[in-house]
Amino acid sequence: MATVVGGLGQHATGGRTEVVTVNDGRALLDRLVLGVPPGESPVTHVEVIPARSGRTGPWPAWVPDTLRARLAGQGIAQPWEHQARAATLAHEGLSVVVATGTASGKSLAYQLPGLAALAADDRTRVLYLAPTKALAGDQLRTLEALDVPGVRPATLDGDTAFTERDWIRAHANWVLSNPDMLHRSLLPQHARWASMFRRLRYVVIDECHAYRGVFGSHVAHVLRRLRRVCAHYGSSPVFVLASATTGSPAESAARLVGLPVTAVTEDASPHGPTVFALWEPPLTALRGEHDAPVRRSAGAEAGRILADLVVEGARTLAFVRSRRGAEQTALTAGRHLAEADAASLAPRVAAYRAGYLPEERRALERALSSGELLGVAATNALELGLDVAGLDAVLLAGFPGTIASLWQQAGRAGRTGDEALVVFVARDDPLDTYLAHHPDSLFGRPVEATVCDPANPYVLAPQLCCAAAELPIRADELATFADGPGASPAVAPVREALDALVAAGRLRRRPAGWCWTDGDRPSVDIRGSGGAPVSVVESGTGVLVGTVDAGAAHSTVHEGAVYLHQGRSYVDALAVDDAVALVRADNPPWTTSARDVTDIAIVAAAATRRHGPLTVSLGAVDVTNQVVSYVRRQLATGELMDEIPLDLPPRQLRTAAVWYSVTQSLLDEAGIDQSATPGAAHAAEHAAIGLLPLFATCDRWDIGGVSTALHPDTGEPTVFVYDGHPGGAGFAARGHAELPRWLAATRDAIVACECAHGCPSCVQSPKCGNGNDPLDKAGAVVLLDLVLRHLG
Ligand SMILES: [Zn+2]
Ligand SMILES: [Zn+2]
């Protein structure tokens, strides 16, 4: 089984290190744990994903011969079955989402119908939307290489010169753009683009799982506005979406475009066998907050593994959470290579940064594909922009945020024939711990669904203003803006939002419909996260050091805060106002963390279910947060120095929350008395926040929680988890829908951690405003067991 094809990975020949490639994922994995005693192996699970042989089908009869000939010239003799199926559905006029793995050729699914339509009539138009400019650029190159007669592709983004835009309007028939451009330019100026909208046959939405949360909710409305403008010009385009493998792709896609969408999920492309290892770095002798044990960091571990794989000659891509982390991982790998007497290999390891020019990216991708470069550490941000597949190994240093991303990244490994290796290195948090111990959650059917919430009033209202400014909203169009394409979409929230906008004087009801009254067009930031970010400026020099989200400003750049940026520390001297924070470079021997007080009040429960002594609700809440002080800790030892009060105003957020409460008498019976309840509820809340990203495409920073031993609105011990964005983003709703599975995973994550009293891998949270106090790990398990039992 574990045959070493290439013999010993490395041997010194006359002072020069020579690399011999090992073509077996299992053998590579064996090398990584060589010399580790069996009981101490960091590998918690090994999954062998068998090879998949490809299944091709005949070209659909409607694909013209000229197009077949061009594709054959690019090495595509026949389409994979899923490509032909999705393409034919679209050709027949049905909106379709193709949700298959990385490098499964999703592009052909939309290229075939689009190119065939243009070959038949070059006045037809195709609009392609990508979440990043880089991706649109890649698509342009592919279309140019195909060079199908009559097809005139062009990219259109914020950088496109105005003279070029004129040419695109008049001549381009395959326009490659992004939702931002559609929102800001094409839709508001629809009359200028009338010829495109009139003839629009297909709208392609690539990497559609990227449209999630508040941004996704905005994009959902931009697409509804697009459909309305098209209808105005007499067209009704078919939507072709490409998605990573996720749970419920048809539902997510339908919610995004507001139309029924058929899903094609069976991947018929070939893939080599892959050995997928889950890896949990060991606990170290170091101690953290409340004396909790600390694990070796995922980044450091990944650096070491990367060096080992490079020595074996395996072309390896390591995905790391941050840019700094990627640089650190590459440096760590270089250091290990030097220590292993393989310093000559160090130049063949590089960090891959954002901001590279397309040509630079291509060069780096080529160097990695050819083996000239052996190890590259990249940030997750580059996941969509990278054009690399067929590598020997992929390392994932920490969960990339969504399971869709994880598979997107893992899919870069795997060649036809040879066995590839993927290693997921768990970080020190509850979700990573859970995944390392629950392989089913990765290798079973995906549960995570791409979530957005087009009914969010904070998104709906400004989007209705944009729509009304484009064309008056007729009374029979309300369903267009409703959430979901069902038989009876919920139009009541749309109607309420319109009435509120009329009352506020922003819209006026006229015979033609609801009209925009202001002269200026509404200005709506679809990528905004609530408020302009605060600029962090160095006081002496005026240099912009960085920016901080408005929502995080009070806790990160308050007076006295030590602000870390790119490995340098700054001390906040004076926060001038809400827009600018002045800092000075310094190197104090301490760190700071803010303490806050959060209150939550129930505004309205939309859904409440009682299960005996347990009550579960979903609804609207007001979250009031006030940063009240900060603590200073010795940098060297982590020891608490002092706590300094702050005078900052409270801030309020109206949002969506899911909450559950139990009676104190139920807890008493299980041995958790009133004094133990706060710690149990608090620990259960932290872990639940950590695990929600397994079920909804959110980051743990997108959500917050409050737990209390006696909540005034419920009169009982209560745990709340809320969306961190005004109006909600669909995360709490998804948690409510998946509550039994979510809380079961939360419980299992806590149980899986081998620490005694709680650590960052289970119940401690890096963003706790209470300094992770009190936390009762065992009590949380008892509480969750009670809740799960009564949920049935
Ligand atoms: Zn733990
Ligand atoms: Zn907390």
Side-chain angles (χ1 to χ4, degrees):
M1 186 174 54
T3 25
V4 181
V5 178
L8 274 177
Q10 172 209 347
H11 28 190
T13 44
R16 190 175 163 276
T17 311
E18 194 176 290
V19 170
V20 181
T21 306
V22 175
N23 294 318
D24 182 334
R26 201 97 45 121
L28 280 175
L29 183 59
D30 288 345
R31 294 299 176 78
L32 296 180
V33 293
L34 201 67
V36 178
E40 289 167 32
S41 172
V43 177
T44 56
H45 179 82
V46 177
E47 184 88 8
V48 178
I49 302 167
R52 189 177 59 219
S53 51
R55 289 193 315 277
T56 56
W59 289 110
W62 51 266
V63 177
D65 291 338
T66 44
L67 180 52
R68 288 183 207 193
R70 296 288 171 175
L71 290 165
Q74 298 285 313
I76 304 173
Q78 279 192 312
W80 306 117
E81 278 175 8
H82 65 276
Q83 294 173 323
R85 201 172 146 237
T88 297
L89 285 168
H91 173 76
E92 288 169 354
L94 290 170
S95 288
V96 59
V97 56
V98 51
T100 51
T102 314
S104 61
K106 287 186 279 254
S107 343
L108 200 63
Y110 53 77
Q111 284 166 354
L112 279 181
L115 294 171
L118 297 193
D121 179 356
D122 72 352
R123 290 168 307 172
T124 300
R125 295 289 185 265
V126 175
L127 176 63
Y128 166 96
L129 302 172
T132 66
K133 271 197 252 178
L135 206 56
D138 290 347
Q139 280 295 315
L140 177 68
R141 274 182 291 277
T142 310
L143 290 172
E144 285 174 343
L146 274 174
D147 194 23
V148 177
V151 177
R152 299 178 297 273
T155 53
L156 176 71
D157 55 45
D159 299 338
T160 309
F162 281 91
T163 49
E164 211 176 319
R165 291 184 191 195
D166 290 340
W167 183 89
I168 294 169
R169 253 199 320 271
H171 302 290
N173 51 14
W174 191 300
V175 177
L176 302 131
S177 191
N178 51 57
D180 309 71
M181 200 64 192
L182 194 56
H183 163 67
R184 275 202 319 268
S185 182
L186 298 183
L187 291 173
Q189 301 169 36
H190 58 82
R192 305 186 69 189
W193 291 88
S195 63
M196 180 182 84
F197 291 123
R198 190 170 295 132
R199 297 176 180 137
L200 194 57
R201 172 89 176 267
Y202 293 108
V203 176
V204 177
I205 305 178
D206 207 357
E207 305 286 357
C208 66
H209 57 280
Y211 304 119
R212 59 188 186 89
V214 174
F215 174 51
S217 309
H218 274 292
V219 172
H221 281 289
V222 172
L223 296 175
R224 282 158 172 76
R225 285 160 49 201
L226 168 65
R227 285 174 36 224
R228 208 170 68 101
V229 164
C230 286
H232 176 75
Y233 291 104
S235 69
S236 168
V238 170
F239 286 77
V240 189
L241 302 97
S243 167
T245 314
T246 60
S248 328
E251 285 82 347
S252 297
R255 201 158 206 211
L256 187 65
V257 301
L259 286 174
V261 178
T262 307
V264 172
T265 55
E266 197 162 327
D267 193 336
S269 66
H271 201 275
T274 306
V275 171
F276 201 132
L278 307 184
W279 184 293
E280 186 176 50
L283 293 174
T284 63
L286 297 173
R287 294 277 142 179
E289 199 166 35
H290 302 300
D291 212 27
V294 175
R295 282 185 199 285
R296 203 182 303 157
S297 85
E301 195 84 334
R304 202 177 59 76
I305 300 173
L306 181 59
D308 285 353
L309 291 171
V310 164
V311 166
E312 299 297 333
R315 290 166 307 133
T316 307
L317 184 55
F319 283 100
V320 188
R321 295 273 296 197
S322 66
R323 173 178 167 170
R324 208 171 105 67
E327 285 164 3
Q328 208 65 47
T329 298
L331 283 174
T332 307
R335 209 171 51 238
H336 280 288
L337 287 171
E339 282 165 14
D341 261 352
S344 64
L345 289 174
R348 293 171 73 180
V349 176
Y352 191 34
R353 303 192 319 265
Y356 272 167
L357 297 171
E359 310 82 71
E360 294 173 312
R361 279 199 303 136
R362 292 287 97 75
L364 216 133
E365 286 159 2
R366 270 198 307 274
L368 185 58
S369 294
S370 70
E372 191 189 320
L373 267 180
L374 279 172
V376 168
T379 60
N380 291 330
L382 286 160
E383 156 196 322
L384 297 181
L386 272 170
D387 189 17
V388 179
L391 296 173
D392 301 312
V394 163
L395 287 177
L396 305 156
F399 185 60
T402 65
I403 292 180
S405 292
L406 179 134
W407 284 111
Q408 190 109 353
Q409 298 179 353
R412 310 284 178 183
R415 304 147 298 164
T416 13
D418 294 335
E419 198 179 51
L421 175 67
V422 176
V423 181
F424 164 68
V425 184
R427 278 185 315 161
D428 216 2
D429 72 36
L431 183 53
D432 284 30
T433 309
Y434 178 83
L435 293 172
H437 291 276
H438 294 83
D440 280 358
S441 56
L442 286 176
F443 304 112
R445 213 174 63 80
V447 289
E448 163 199 277
T450 307
V451 169
C452 68
D453 181 13
N456 177 336
Y458 295 84
V459 173
L460 181 60
Q463 286 289 341
L464 286 172
C465 291
C466 295
E470 284 151 14
L471 292 166
I473 299 173
R474 297 191 317 265
D476 62 350
E477 285 182 316
L478 302 196
T480 307
F481 300 98
D483 180 13
S488 53
V491 295
V494 181
R495 184 67 205 237
E496 282 163 27
L498 287 169
D499 290 345
L501 289 166
V502 170
R506 308 208 58 204
L507 297 185
R508 189 167 297 160
R509 183 90 203 254
R510 294 215 174 96
W514 283 271
C515 301
W516 175 246
T517 48
D518 278 350
D520 293 338
R521 294 195 177 280
S523 145
V524 177
D525 176 10
I526 64 171
R527 294 195 191 240
S529 55
V534 173
S535 302
V536 183
V537 174
E538 195 172 10
S539 54
T541 61
V543 169
L544 179 70
V545 178
T547 59
V548 173
D549 269 355
H554 281 191
S555 56
T556 48
V557 285
H558 55 78
E559 199 182 329
V562 175
Y563 170 76
L564 294 171
H565 187 79
Q566 304 261 350
R568 301 177 63 183
S569 45
Y570 297 85
V571 171
D572 190 51
L574 182 66
V576 175
D577 53 33
D578 281 346
V580 178
L582 287 181
V583 296
R584 60 186 162 79
D586 200 349
N587 206 8
W590 64 80
T591 62
T592 58
S593 51
R595 292 281 164 92
D596 59 22
V597 178
T598 304
D599 281 327
I600 195 161
I602 298 170
V603 177
T608 296
R609 290 191 309 259
R610 276 180 221 292
H611 311 261
L614 166 73
T615 308
V616 174
S617 298
L618 174 72
V621 293
D622 277 334
V623 180
T624 310
N625 176 270
Q626 186 171 22
V627 173
V628 291
S629 65
Y630 67 100
V631 296
R632 299 195 298 171
R633 284 176 194 283
Q634 297 283 3
L635 193 58
T637 62
E639 196 184 323
L640 192 72
M641 293 160 56
D642 50 12
E643 179 166 356
I644 298 157
L646 288 168
D647 181 23
L648 288 165
R651 306 215 278 186
Q652 208 176 54
L653 170 75
R654 176 158 297 182
T655 186
V658 52
W659 64 93
Y660 64 85
S661 60
V662 292
T663 58
Q664 181 61 47
S665 58
L666 181 73
L667 294 177
D668 286 335
E669 283 165 34
I672 299 180
D673 64 20
Q674 222 148 7
S675 68
T677 301
H682 190 198
E685 170 220 319
H686 278 185
I689 291 171
L691 267 293
L692 187 55
L694 191 59
F695 300 91
T697 46
C698 57
D699 196 274
R700 76 195 283 192
W701 304 95
D702 288 331
I703 45 183
V706 173
S707 55
T708 152
L710 179 65
H711 192 271
D713 294 337
T714 64
E716 290 177 339
T718 310
V719 175
F720 293 84
V721 174
Y722 59 85
D723 284 4
H725 304 280
F731 305 138
R734 177 82 185 148
H736 181 254
E738 293 285 347
L739 193 72
R741 283 205 278 184
W742 171 34
L743 294 185
T746 302
R747 178 209 175 271
D748 292 351
I750 301 173
V751 172
C753 187
E754 74 243 48
C755 74
H757 303 292
C759 72
S761 295
C762 55
V763 297
Q764 288 190 346
S765 164
K767 63 167 191 171
C768 182
N770 256 344
N772 282 305
D773 185 48
L775 284 180
D776 179 348
K777 179 181 174 181
V781 176
V782 174
L783 169 61
L784 288 164
D785 276 337
L786 289 172
V787 171
L788 287 164
R789 189 189 320 144
H790 288 283
L791 276 176

